[in-house]
Amino acid sequence: MWISKLELTCFKSYQHQVFDFPAPDDGRNIVLIGGMNGFGKTSILEALYLCLYGKDAIIHLARAGLKTDDKKGYPTFLESAFNGEAKRDGLDTMMVRVTINRTKTKAIDICRKWFFRSNGNWTGEEEAIVREVIRDIPSSPRVDGKNGFHFSELLDEVFVPAHVAPFFFFDGEEVKKLADQSRVEQVKQGLEGLLGVVLLRSLADRLKSFESMKRGDVVSVDEDRLHQLSEQLSAGEEQLQKLQKDADEAEQEKLQLRAEQQSLVERITSSGGGGGDIATVKELVEEREQNRNKLRESHRALEDILSGRLPFHLVPKKLTDELKNQLNAEVNWFAWDAEKRSLEPRKVEFQAAFNSQNEPRIDPALSTDQQVAIKKRLDAAWDTLFYPPPANCAEEIVHDYLHEAQRVKALEFLSSINLGQKEIQDLLNEQHALQQRTDELGRKISRLDGIDRDGTLANLKTQLEAVQEKIEELADRVRIDDRSIVTLEAQVSNMRADYMRERGKLDESSPTRAVIEKSERVRKILDEVIPALFPLKVKALGKAMTDVYKQLAHKHQVDKIEIGDQGSARILSTNGKEITFDRSAGENQIFATALIAGLAKVSGVKAPMVVDTPLGRLDSKHRDNILKFWTADPNRQVILLSQDEEIDFHFYKEISDNVCKTYLLEHEDVGDGIGRTTAKQGKYFVRGRR
């Protein structure tokens, strides 16, 4: 599969330009387009997005690293893209045409046009025409959005779906920005794109807008109270998010300190100040650290028992049994009530149908009193279907502060509070044994420090102790944050229950409100589904990234990259230990490039790559590696949009055997501050400085 033609008419600085790209063949898979900054390289990438994805391109342009105005959006972007000469000459059409060859005999031709007024403003009209081409013979045109044809569905089947396009068509500057973020954020963003989370978030936003629009049709009931609850809930959720972020940052800092600790231990071992004995310091320090971690975990387990399960054992069993029975009865009542409310609209429909019947005719006509009596009988008959409630339902809702789901969670918790003396005693014995072993290891380490004639070992030991103190401080900080998070989560859960209860009162009487409630439930499901998607792809992504990273990096101690379910990334050596590289610009960009290439591989899409500013800030060694990576798959078309200091004359010569086509962009001023770009086929930058 390859892009065989790109035609631009009245787009940006291109008055009219056609790019023809040959099929990757005989090891030649690179198309090289050179141009100075501002000469129209990025416009090629933007044109590709706009032609393929239309108005949906805006969000994907941003993810691919291209600048867009999120506030002004699609119309403003199109108006800024309309060619200045065309605007000056009173033309009204901008066009981008892309031809994609699936094989040498089968292709898809996409032509998208936008129409403008005489003042250069977009009319709001555009047209996307698609033709399938077999052996150079085009089929009948199909128009996007008409006669049941949707171009996006065709793209999903035969080319690149919109949500994974940024893995194939992107600005190399985006790799720089990606490399400057934490690796957890890099991986999360990539996984979200791969799994289509962008589409799910877009659906959630549309549902939220739909709810806002629908609420405008509903009479407000105690809106001030509802607004106050909403603000309290938002503030609680924001505070919870900050605490979780602080805990994550502390955990990341602790990982870095552990790497520093390992380095200090290795330096102490290699110093040899204490002869053979000093070689055992590393093992002793590691064992002591492991014991300290186990001791902290044991303390945390005991704290959980004391603060969670033990208090319930101080309450009489009769009281806890009554609580369980009441909660079960309330769960049953709400299930009965939900069934009753779901059938309520049918009652209204039946009454309306009954009142509208004219046959058989009643003569003489019923009096008003008789009609009222019949209505009361109908109401009474309907009520007998539901009243009284079943015997297993609660007579009174005591725990109205709980949401339905929270009652179920409460019952699950009450079923898990069994606690025996042996469990507590075992924890105390374990803590005592761990503390004794930790103290013993500390004494051994002190004895085995050896002779420090020049003070080097003493200095290293001081640094090691300082690092260990920081690790312990961070562990305490994480533990405190964890406690605060647990407490705040419970508070936020109660706030949410209060808010949902008030919202329920507001919505329960209206069909429109019922629709809003369904929309909210769908959004809640989306919020729960998105995190659960990550584990589906992490193993495959880790393997794909490992393969690519080994090709790109000039350091060879990396054995594999391991991706965790939450997006964490670990680079492991051959002995299974984590490697902590300096976060240099080149190393980070290689990691980010491996991530993008890995995501493209895992997506399963066999599509060409189009890269603007392809080499960024890479040094010459990394540049060689990444160019070799792009030429490694001779069947994948790679279109590189480079300026003269990235792939210069010398680099071009190194990869010339893999280049199937070149263009050089030239720019001229045509007056009124308007520039015109033309592409010279078979040209590239001449010899210059390296």
Side-chain angles (χ1 to χ4, degrees):
M1 182 186 301
W2 74 96
I3 299 171
S4 58
K5 178 179 288 187
L6 174 64
E7 181 179 356
L8 309 177
T9 302
C10 299
F11 184 83
K12 293 273 182 141
S13 58
Y14 294 93
Q15 189 177 41
H16 182 256
Q17 181 66 53
V18 177
F19 294 90
D20 289 306
F21 305 131
D25 188 38
D26 195 24
R28 295 179 177 271
N29 67 315
I30 302 291
V31 174
L32 198 53
I33 300 177
M36 304 297 286
N37 290 335
F39 276 26
K41 299 190 305 298
T42 303
S43 299
I44 294 173
L45 196 55
E46 291 172 335
L48 182 64
Y49 268 99
L50 284 175
C51 182
L52 294 178
Y53 308 114
K55 64 181 179 181
D56 292 334
I58 291 296
I59 184 173
H60 301 300
L61 282 169
R63 288 179 58 237
L66 305 177
K67 294 180 180 179
T68 60
D69 190 329
D70 293 335
K71 294 182 179 179
K72 297 181 180 178
Y74 189 53
T76 302
F77 190 85
L78 291 178
E79 288 163 7
S80 65
F82 190 35
N83 179 264
E85 287 186 83
K87 194 183 303 182
R88 183 178 62 186
D89 296 342
L91 302 182
D92 63 357
T93 305
M94 178 172 73
M95 183 196 78
V96 178
R97 182 179 179 183
V98 177
T99 304
I100 300 166
N101 272 67
R102 300 169 63 187
T103 66
K104 290 185 178 180
T105 59
K106 295 181 179 180
I108 299 174
D109 183 84
I110 307 105
C111 179
R112 193 181 293 267
K113 297 179 181 180
W114 298 266
F115 304 98
F116 296 82
R117 298 185 179 91
S118 58
N119 60 1
N121 291 340
W122 181 43
T123 63
E125 297 179 16
E126 69 177 88
E127 182 182 62
I129 299 175
V130 182
R131 289 181 173 89
E132 292 191 41
V133 181
I134 300 177
R135 299 186 184 279
D136 296 328
I137 300 175
S139 65
S140 300
R142 291 188 287 176
V143 180
D144 187 24
K146 294 185 178 180
N147 299 321
F149 173 67
H150 297 282
F151 178 46
S152 59
E153 295 177 1
L154 180 63
L155 277 181
D156 290 348
E157 294 177 8
V158 303
F159 195 55
V160 182
H163 62 276
V164 298
F167 305 152
F168 297 91
F169 319 132
F170 58 89
D171 186 346
E173 292 293 329
E174 174 68 2
V175 177
K176 293 184 184 180
K177 290 193 295 180
L178 189 63
D180 290 335
Q181 300 176 9
S182 73
R183 286 183 175 167
V184 173
E185 288 303 314
Q186 294 179 36
V187 177
K188 279 185 177 180
Q189 288 183 18
L191 284 169
E192 286 187 356
L194 176 64
L195 295 164
V197 172
V198 176
L199 303 179
L200 295 179
R201 294 197 195 284
S202 175
L203 173 59
D205 290 340
R206 291 184 179 183
L207 287 173
K208 197 169 184 179
S209 299
F210 168 78
E211 293 160 18
S212 299
M213 178 186 68
K214 285 295 183 182
R215 286 196 184 95
D217 301 332
V218 178
V219 177
S220 298
V221 178
D222 198 6
E223 288 188 357
D224 291 340
R225 167 67 175 160
L226 194 60
H227 181 68
Q228 182 182 3
L229 288 173
S230 177
E231 287 186 340
Q232 291 174 354
L233 178 59
S234 297
E237 289 176 337
E238 184 177 353
Q239 185 180 356
L240 179 60
Q241 187 177 8
K242 288 181 179 177
L243 276 174
Q244 290 170 336
K245 182 179 180 182
D246 182 68
D248 290 342
E249 290 175 350
E251 196 63 41
Q252 290 294 322
E253 188 176 350
K254 190 167 69 171
L255 290 175
Q256 294 177 359
L257 285 172
R258 288 197 186 282
E260 185 178 347
Q261 178 193 47
Q262 180 182 345
S263 175
L264 287 169
V265 170
E266 291 175 351
R267 290 174 63 189
I268 290 173
T269 303
S270 63
S271 296
D277 289 340
I278 197 67
T280 64
V281 171
K282 176 180 178 181
E283 288 78 9
L284 293 174
V285 170
E286 289 178 350
E287 184 180 352
R288 183 175 66 176
E289 185 60 28
Q290 291 171 359
N291 274 273
R292 285 175 172 171
N293 288 335
K294 291 178 181 178
L295 187 58
R296 280 191 288 269
E297 291 173 1
S298 181
H299 280 302
R300 190 178 298 115
L302 186 58
E303 288 171 359
D304 290 342
I305 289 174
L306 295 176
S307 63
R309 294 155 61 192
L310 183 60
F312 283 89
H313 285 264
L314 304 178
V315 177
K317 184 175 184 301
K318 180 180 178 182
L319 185 59
T320 56
D321 288 343
E322 289 178 358
L323 175 59
K324 289 180 183 178
N325 292 335
Q326 178 65 25
L327 288 174
N328 272 315
E330 290 184 7
V331 169
N332 294 334
W333 188 91
F334 277 104
W336 164 79
D337 184 62
E339 180 183 5
K340 175 173 67 69
R341 285 191 290 110
S342 68
L343 293 174
E344 191 67 26
R346 303 295 296 174
K347 173 187 174 182
V348 177
E349 292 175 10
F350 174 76
Q351 288 179 336
F354 180 83
N355 293 332
S356 65
Q357 294 301 314
N358 296 320
E359 296 294 337
R361 184 176 182 81
I362 298 175
D363 191 13
L366 297 176
S367 67
T368 302
D369 290 341
Q370 289 173 327
Q371 291 177 1
V372 170
I374 289 176
K375 184 178 184 304
K376 287 182 177 179
R377 286 194 178 189
L378 288 174
D379 290 340
W382 181 268
D383 289 341
T384 60
L385 299 177
F386 301 101
Y387 293 99
N392 62 350
C393 291
E395 295 181 1
E396 179 185 0
I397 303 301
V398 178
H399 306 286
D400 59 349
Y401 53 89
L402 291 176
H403 195 278
E404 287 89 332
Q406 289 176 316
R407 290 184 178 85
V408 176
K409 288 184 178 178
L411 286 168
E412 291 174 353
F413 173 74
L414 290 172
S415 300
S416 66
I417 61 175
N418 292 332
L419 178 65
Q421 178 182 352
K422 185 176 183 302
E423 184 176 353
I424 297 177
Q425 190 61 48
D426 288 345
L427 278 173
L428 293 174
N429 291 339
E430 180 186 13
Q431 290 177 10
H432 180 70
L434 288 170
Q435 187 63 56
Q436 281 189 326
R437 180 57 179 164
T438 301
D439 294 342
E440 180 185 351
L441 289 170
R443 290 192 292 272
K444 284 186 178 182
I445 291 170
S446 298
R447 289 198 303 271
L448 294 176
D449 271 342
I451 302 170
D452 187 10
R453 295 184 178 87
D454 59 358
T456 300
L457 290 178
N459 182 43
L460 290 174
K461 179 182 175 183
T462 301
Q463 294 180 43
L464 181 60
E465 290 175 348
V467 170
Q468 289 171 341
E469 287 179 4
K470 290 181 181 178
I471 291 175
E472 291 174 0
E473 290 174 1
L474 284 170
D476 291 338
R477 174 177 154 192
V478 170
R479 186 163 58 252
I480 292 171
D481 282 347
D482 286 344
R483 290 177 184 169
S484 301
I485 287 171
V486 170
T487 302
L488 190 55
E489 280 178 340
Q491 294 174 356
V492 168
S493 180
N494 288 334
M495 291 179 190
R496 189 176 291 110
D498 289 342
Y499 174 74
M500 294 304 295
R501 184 171 60 253
E502 293 299 320
R503 281 288 309 280
K505 293 177 182 177
L506 180 68
D507 295 342
E508 64 184 1
S509 62
S510 168
T512 302
R513 292 182 178 125
V515 171
I516 294 172
E517 184 180 350
K518 290 180 182 178
S519 176
E520 288 178 333
R521 288 202 299 269
V522 172
R523 284 200 295 116
K524 184 179 179 182
I525 291 172
L526 291 177
D527 290 340
E528 294 173 353
V529 164
I530 287 173
L533 292 174
F534 279 27
L536 300 177
K537 291 291 185 182
V538 292
K539 289 185 179 179
L541 176 59
K543 184 179 184 305
M545 285 184 65
T546 300
D547 295 341
V548 177
Y549 192 93
K550 287 181 177 180
Q551 295 180 56
L552 299 181
H554 55 72
K555 295 179 180 178
H556 303 295
Q557 64 266 50
V558 174
D559 179 59
K560 69 175 180 178
I561 295 175
E562 189 177 88
I563 308 297
D565 287 351
Q566 302 304 317
S568 59
R570 301 171 65 220
I571 303 177
L572 303 178
S573 64
T574 53
N575 61 6
K577 292 187 177 180
E578 184 172 1
I579 301 174
T580 305
F581 288 129
D582 294 335
R583 285 184 63 84
S584 65
E587 293 288 356
N588 282 347
Q589 189 165 346
I590 288 299
F591 181 89
T593 303
L595 172 61
I596 290 177
L599 290 164
K601 185 175 181 180
V602 173
S603 73
V605 177
K606 303 294 184 182
M609 297 185 72
V610 183
V611 187
D612 186 15
T613 319
L615 298 180
R617 53 185 166 185
L618 294 176
D619 57 40
S620 59
K621 182 65 176 177
H622 282 123
R623 289 187 181 196
D624 288 340
N625 289 345
I626 201 168
L627 288 172
K628 289 177 182 177
F629 169 71
W630 278 329
T631 57
D633 183 354
N635 296 319
R636 184 191 293 276
Q637 180 189 53
V638 180
I639 301 174
L640 302 179
L641 311 172
S642 173
Q643 43 98 331
D644 63 333
E645 292 188 354
E646 287 184 278
I647 302 178
D648 58 15
F649 177 82
H650 301 281
F651 273 110
Y652 167 54
K653 288 300 181 183
E654 291 179 18
I655 64 170
S656 59
D657 290 341
N658 302 102
V659 176
C660 61
K661 194 72 171 284
T662 62
Y663 284 94
L664 183 63
L665 303 181
E666 296 182 352
H667 197 75
E668 62 176 317
D669 187 356
V670 294
D672 299 326
I674 300 171
R676 179 192 298 166
T677 297
T678 53
K680 301 298 183 181
Q681 181 175 318
K683 301 289 186 180
Y684 197 66
F685 295 115
V686 297
R687 181 186 299 274
R689 64 183 181 85
R690 188 179 179 89

